[in-house]
Amino acid sequence: MADDATSGTEGAVALTKVDLKYWQDRWRESRIGWHREKVSDLLDMYHSDMMPKEGEGRVFFPLCGKTVDMRYMAERGYDVIGVESTKGAIIDFFNEQQLEYSMTMIKGFIAFATMDRKLKITIYNGDFFKVTPTIFAGEDGDGKFDAIWDRGSLVAMNPSDRSEYARVITSLMTPQTRYMIAALSYDQSRHGGPPFSTPLEVVRELFGADCNMETKHEAPNNYSMNRFKLDWWLDSLYLLVRK
């Protein structure tokens, strides 16, 4: 159930192998240390870089959980679309935000949508790797997005699944899409994840052929360093745009 964390490194910690059951168990047991009750500071600081037209456009939240970042963007007038594999997390989001919702089957996914469309939030429950633009296509769109906010999604992927993850993400991008990744890096040989270390070289390997990238933010994170008993931890924010 685990791969070597660092090939050829003596004493390296083995990577944790995560699957749908792993994440569903974490949600059921409320072991969701990645969830934050407040809006991401990075989103608050840089959302205008991601969405240059204030209050206009669609933003995608991959593996969104119940992040309050979705409401933050919806309250600013954006059309928010998320995908989440754990149904309970979606229901928790709407209940905790006191938002009434409808449920509709769309191309094998259950779409949970706000009833009050002053806040346009729709979360699709299903297998992320089965996502295609046609699922999100409406009468006036092709199913692609103006922006993608990736906090806690790429870093939760098994390293062996990253290439497929990148394929799905890039399929949802137009030449104008602005894709922001809240990434992190540490010595992967010291911790099996998740979250998994995603330094710039990993992001470049996954997306460099298709996207130009810019580092918007870098800062050490002593809290996470101490929490996981590591020697260093670096938080980063990358902005990617298709070439």
Side-chain angles (χ1 to χ4, degrees), residues 41-61:
D41 290 337
L42 292 178
L43 180 62
D44 189 41
M45 287 189 288
Y46 292 102
H47 76 272
S48 59
D49 289 10
M50 183 175 68
M51 303 292 282
K53 295 183 179 180
E54 186 68 29
E56 181 181 333
R58 298 203 315 166
V59 57
F60 180 59
F61 284 73

Side-chain angles (χ1 to χ4, degrees), residues 168-183:
V168 173
I169 290 291
T170 54
S171 76
L172 302 175
M173 296 176 68
T174 72
Q176 289 74 44
T177 302
R178 301 174 73 80
Y179 173 31
M180 276 194 167
I181 305 173

Side-chain angles (χ1 to χ4, degrees), residues 5-113:
T6 306
S7 177
T9 302
E10 186 177 354
V13 174
L15 291 178
T16 303
K17 186 72 172 179
V18 298
D19 56 16
L20 179 58
K21 183 178 184 301
Y22 172 90
W23 294 113
Q24 289 177 335
D25 287 347
R26 292 282 300 258
W27 279 103
R28 188 182 66 255
E29 297 164 5
S30 295
R31 293 188 297 118
I32 52 173
W34 62 86
H35 177 69
R36 298 290 179 265
E37 298 294 336
K38 63 185 291 290
V39 171
S40 163
D41 290 337
L42 292 178
L43 180 62
D44 189 41
M45 287 189 288
Y46 292 102
H47 76 272
S48 59
D49 289 10
M50 183 175 68
M51 303 292 282
K53 295 183 179 180
E54 186 68 29
E56 181 181 333
R58 298 203 315 166
V59 57
F60 180 59
F61 284 73
L63 301 178
C64 58
K66 59 177 183 177
T67 177
V68 298
D69 294 353
M70 291 188 286
R71 180 159 193 154
Y72 175 88
M73 293 300 284
E75 286 178 340
R76 279 150 184 77
Y78 303 108
D79 191 350
V80 171
I81 310 290
V83 168
E84 172 55 48
S85 59
T86 303
K87 185 184 295 185
I90 300 172
I91 294 171
D92 283 352
F93 171 79
F94 285 101
N95 288 342
E96 290 172 13
Q97 298 301 316
Q98 299 182 348
L99 296 170
E100 294 185 20
Y101 60 89
S102 63
M103 297 170 58
T104 309
M105 285 297 301
I106 300 178
K107 298 184 184 299
F109 286 73
I110 305 174
F112 294 72

Side-chain angles (χ1 to χ4, degrees), residues 111-150:
F112 294 72
T114 47
M115 299 286 285
D116 180 358
R117 297 305 283 171
K118 291 179 182 177
L119 289 179
K120 296 181 180 179
I121 303 173
T122 305
I123 306 176
Y124 291 76
N125 176 224
D127 183 348
F128 178 83
F129 293 111
K130 293 182 179 178
V131 163
T132 64
T134 58
I135 294 167
F136 311 118
E139 295 179 0
D140 58 349
D142 60 2
K144 299 190 179 186
F145 293 91
D146 300 291
I148 301 172
W149 175 249
D150 188 329

